[in-house]
Amino acid sequence: MKINKKWYIVFVVPILIPFIFTVILPFFQGIEFSFVKWNGLAKAEKVFVGLQNFKDVLHDDRFMTSLGRTSLFTLITVVLVNVIALAFATWVTSEIKFKNTGRAMLFMPYLIGGLILGYVWKYVLGQGMTLLAANTGNESLFFNWLSDPQYAFIAMIVVATWQMAGYMMVIYIAGLEAISGDVLEAAKMDGANGWKEFIHIKLPLLMPSITICLFLTLSNCFKIYDVNVSLTGGGPANSTEMISLNIYNEIFVQSNFGLGQAKAIVFFLIVAVITFLQVRLTSKKEVEI
């Protein structure tokens, strides 16, 4: 059957036009701003400074600290999210009762917006913990996590993991259910049961799902902003300020559009290189049956 390719245009153009105006054009305009000194006001003069903004980025201690903090946050959260998501997926695809209910409950945190999620957990880890301390008298166990730099950072990891694990679980479920029953049956006949079956049979066949989940968690963790704003606001004393929030503060709080855009370009390149390498490496591990 011959397909009229003109129909592709009818369906693609309505999506392509908004994408061009909301993503492509602002991206290139941001590159232009990264070479000027500008405070963001329409009537203010844009002074061309060349690569000076990029040099200033490399000497910005607060940005480099945020980069290191975001990298540590990403490393820990990516591992936790994928391990927990895979454990959840294995559990809800096993022979248990109410597994569909379990899937829905585990996926539900992802449906809550990041800002709302952050504010809910801000109350739980802040006022909620304080109330528990007042009622129990155990201030060593129950205290305001968000007032302590180390515990505020841990709170970011906990909330991000709680939000993303359910969504990654769905991807792993699809991967597990795509594994042929004949392959598993043959493995059992060869003596592979339980842990051996998971390590030597299921895990290699799950590599396409692992590639997708690692890509999504890496990019989402590096770009995390909404939870950062609503949960800690970068505090206390900027101890939980991630890169996205640092860029936002540079542009909209300190009105340094040029420097902020230079930070955004550097950040984009870092995330692009890391995710590209991750996809290349994990794609090589994929196997076909």
Side-chain angles (χ1 to χ4, degrees):
M1 183 178 65
K2 186 177 181 181
I3 300 176
N4 190 347
K5 294 184 179 181
K6 293 181 180 179
W7 283 106
Y8 289 125
I9 300 176
V10 175
F11 291 102
V12 170
V13 169
I15 303 299
L16 187 60
I17 292 176
F19 180 77
I20 291 173
F21 282 96
T22 60
V23 178
I24 302 299
L25 292 181
F27 177 78
F28 285 104
Q29 189 175 42
I31 294 176
E32 176 190 350
F33 289 160
S34 66
F35 295 104
V36 301
K37 185 176 182 181
W38 182 44
N39 62 7
L41 298 178
K43 295 183 179 180
E45 182 184 2
K46 298 184 181 72
V47 180
F48 181 78
V49 294
L51 297 175
Q52 185 59 45
N53 285 328
F54 293 95
K55 294 179 182 178
D56 292 340
V57 169
L58 299 177
H59 294 90
D60 190 321
D61 293 335
R62 184 168 169 179
F63 176 78
M64 300 307 292
T65 301
S66 295
L67 176 60
R69 185 184 301 118
T70 306
S71 300
L72 179 61
F73 166 82
T74 299
L75 177 63
I76 297 173
T77 307
V78 164
V79 173
L80 287 176
V81 167
N82 284 278
V83 169
I84 293 173
L86 185 54
F88 284 164
T90 304
W91 178 54
V92 298
T93 53
S94 61
E95 297 298 326
I96 60 169
K97 294 182 179 180
F98 309 113
K99 59 183 180 181
N100 290 332
T101 303
R103 293 183 186 189
M105 293 179 64
L106 293 171
F107 180 73
M108 196 172 296
Y110 184 77
L111 300 177
I112 305 173
L115 284 173
I116 298 174
L117 193 69
Y119 284 122
V120 170
W121 278 93
K122 184 176 183 178
Y123 175 81
V124 172
L125 298 174
Q127 292 176 274
M129 286 291 191
T130 304
L131 289 173
L132 285 173
N135 291 327
T136 62
N138 191 344
E139 295 183 0
S140 61
L141 181 61
F142 302 111
F143 59 92
N144 188 343
W145 280 35
L146 305 181
S147 63
D148 183 279
Q150 292 183 345
Y151 281 91
F153 182 75
I154 294 173
M156 286 284 300
I157 295 173
V158 170
V159 175
T161 302
W162 188 72
Q163 181 188 27
M164 287 189 282
Y167 182 70
M168 302 306 149
M169 174 197 70
V170 174
I171 298 174
Y172 283 125
I173 288 173
L176 287 169
E177 292 184 342
I179 298 175
S180 173
D182 294 337
V183 175
L184 299 178
E185 188 65 29
K188 289 180 180 179
M189 292 178 64
D190 289 337
N193 292 310
W195 186 248
K196 288 184 178 180
E197 179 187 78
F198 179 79
I199 293 295
H200 298 290
I201 305 299
K202 291 184 177 180
L203 202 57
L205 296 176
L206 274 175
M207 282 310 299
S209 297
I210 292 173
T211 298
I212 296 171
C213 288
L214 284 178
F215 172 79
L216 292 175
T217 48
L218 271 172
S219 57
N220 288 340
C221 287
F222 266 114
K223 297 184 299 181
I224 191 166
Y225 172 77
D226 47 5
V227 172
N228 195 189
V229 170
S230 57
L231 181 64
T232 66
N238 299 320
S239 61
T240 60
E241 184 185 68
M242 302 297 169
I243 295 182
S244 294
L245 183 57
N246 178 273
I247 293 171
Y248 174 88
N249 289 334
E250 190 69 53
I251 295 176
F252 296 104
V253 177
Q254 300 181 33
S255 297
N256 294 326
F257 267 67
L259 181 58
Q261 284 295 335
K263 288 183 176 182
I265 298 300
V266 172
F267 179 42
F268 167 79
L269 293 174
I270 291 173
V271 176
V273 169
I274 292 175
T275 52
F276 174 78
L277 292 175
Q278 172 264 307
V279 171
R280 285 292 302 272
L281 290 172
T282 52
S283 296
K284 293 179 179 179
K285 300 290 184 180
E286 297 178 8
V287 296
E288 295 183 1
I289 57 171

